[in-house]
Amino acid sequence: MSREREKTTVSIEEYEKVQTVLNALMDQLASQLPNESANRIKEIYEFRSSILGETDRGAVLMAAAFLDDKLKGLIEKRLVQDRKVRKRVFDFNGALGTFSSRIDFAYLIGVIPKNAQKDLHTIRNIRNQFAHHAAPLSYDDEKVKGLCNNLVFHGVLETADAGSKFRRSVMGLLTHVTLAFESTEAIEAHPDFSIPDRAGAYQIVSKVFTDVTGAEYPLKHEHESVGAR
C-alpha cells in the first residue's frame, strides 16, 4: 500500500511545516525584487495568513477594506499629483469616496480590466451581505454562495467551495492591483490656459456697434479703464 493511500489526515504541525516552507519560498522570491515591490508582495502574503484565522464575516469585511485601500492607492498614483484636490475627491462625500465609485473609476481610466471590475463589485456585494445582516452568516448562505460562484479571479475549478473561491479571488485581485501599481504612472497636470488678449475683437465689435447705432458701445466699461476713455 502506498504512503499516499495510507495517509488520510495531516496534523497541525505538518500544516505549520508546509507554511514555513512556503514562507521561505516567498521570502526568496521577494529578495529578488526591489525593496518597495518586495514589501508589497509580503504585505499581500501576510494579509492572506491573517484572514485564514478569521470568521467568514471577519474575513470578508477585512478583505473588502484591504482591496478598497489598495484600489485607492492605485488610482491616486495615476492621477495628477495635487494633494489638496485628491483629498477632497477621496473624502467620504467626494466623487471617489466609496468603494463602488473607485471600482468604476479605476476601470474607466484603464488601470484595471473589465473582469477585475466585475469581481471587485461582486466582492463589494458580498461585503454588504455580511455588513448589513446582524444574524449569523457564512459562505454557505445561498445568496453569499451564489455571489462567490460569480467570481472568476480564483483560478480554481467551479466545484471548489464558496469560501475558497472568495479567498483566492481576493488574492488574485490583490496581486493584479499590486502589479498594476508597479506599472502605473501619474498623469501630468495640464498647464494653465493662457488667456488671450481680446482687445482686437472688442474694438471691432465696439466700432460696428457705434457705426450702426451712433451710440457708445454699452460694454465699453468692461474693456477700457476710465483713464483710457
Side-chain angles (χ1 to χ4, degrees):
M1 186 176 292
S2 68
R3 177 178 174 80
E4 181 181 354
R5 293 185 62 186
E6 289 176 355
K7 188 126 180 165
T8 58
T9 60
V10 178
S11 67
I12 294 176
E13 290 77 12
E14 287 174 313
Y15 272 117
E16 290 176 346
K17 287 180 181 179
V18 171
Q19 189 63 51
T20 298
V21 173
L22 291 175
N23 288 341
L25 289 172
M26 181 58 64
D27 289 340
Q28 184 179 1
L29 173 64
S31 68
Q32 301 173 28
L33 301 172
N35 285 339
E36 289 188 7
S37 301
N39 290 337
R40 280 190 280 271
I41 295 297
K42 286 181 179 179
E43 184 182 23
I44 292 175
Y45 197 71
E46 289 169 359
F47 176 77
R48 177 183 178 277
S49 298
S50 72
I51 64 172
L52 289 177
E54 293 289 331
T55 62
D56 292 355
R57 187 187 302 274
V60 167
L61 297 181
M62 286 176 62
F66 198 62
L67 276 166
D68 187 11
D69 183 66
K70 294 305 173 187
L71 191 62
K72 176 186 174 185
L74 175 60
I75 295 171
E76 285 182 320
K77 188 178 181 185
R78 179 61 177 157
L79 298 182
V80 170
Q81 302 302 293
D82 186 318
R83 185 176 299 178
K84 185 176 180 180
V85 176
R86 276 191 322 189
K87 183 180 184 304
R88 185 166 67 243
V89 168
F90 283 104
D91 276 346
F92 180 74
N93 291 322
L96 298 176
T98 66
F99 191 18
S100 179
S101 62
R102 292 169 189 172
I103 294 169
D104 288 340
F105 189 73
Y107 166 66
L108 289 175
I109 62 173
V111 293
I112 62 170
K114 185 69 176 179
N115 59 351
Q117 180 216 19
K118 288 182 177 179
D119 262 20
L120 285 166
H121 273 306
T122 300
I123 285 173
R124 179 181 60 81
N125 288 329
I126 294 170
R127 177 205 64 183
N128 290 345
Q129 287 297 310
F130 281 91
H132 299 156
H133 291 80
L137 201 63
S138 74
Y139 296 121
D140 292 327
D141 174 82
E142 285 305 312
K143 192 161 187 178
V144 173
K145 184 186 295 184
L147 288 168
C148 289
N149 287 337
N150 289 334
L151 295 168
V152 299
F153 260 72
H154 49 72
V156 295
L157 295 176
E158 288 302 318
T159 53
D161 64 75
S164 179
K165 288 178 179 177
F166 177 83
R167 288 186 295 271
R168 290 175 180 273
S169 292
V170 167
M171 297 309 298
L173 287 163
L174 282 172
T175 301
H176 181 81
V177 170
T178 298
L179 292 175
F181 186 92
E182 296 286 338
S183 60
T184 295
E185 296 181 356
I187 301 170
E188 291 293 330
H190 200 288
D192 285 347
F193 178 66
S194 180
I195 309 300
D197 181 358
R198 297 189 175 92
Y202 153 69
Q203 289 170 2
I204 293 171
V205 173
S206 177
K207 183 177 184 307
V208 169
F209 185 90
T210 301
D211 290 346
V212 172
T213 67
E216 184 176 79
Y217 183 51
L219 299 180
K220 186 174 183 178
H221 65 283
E222 294 184 0
H223 298 273
E224 297 182 19
S225 61
V226 174
R229 295 183 180 182

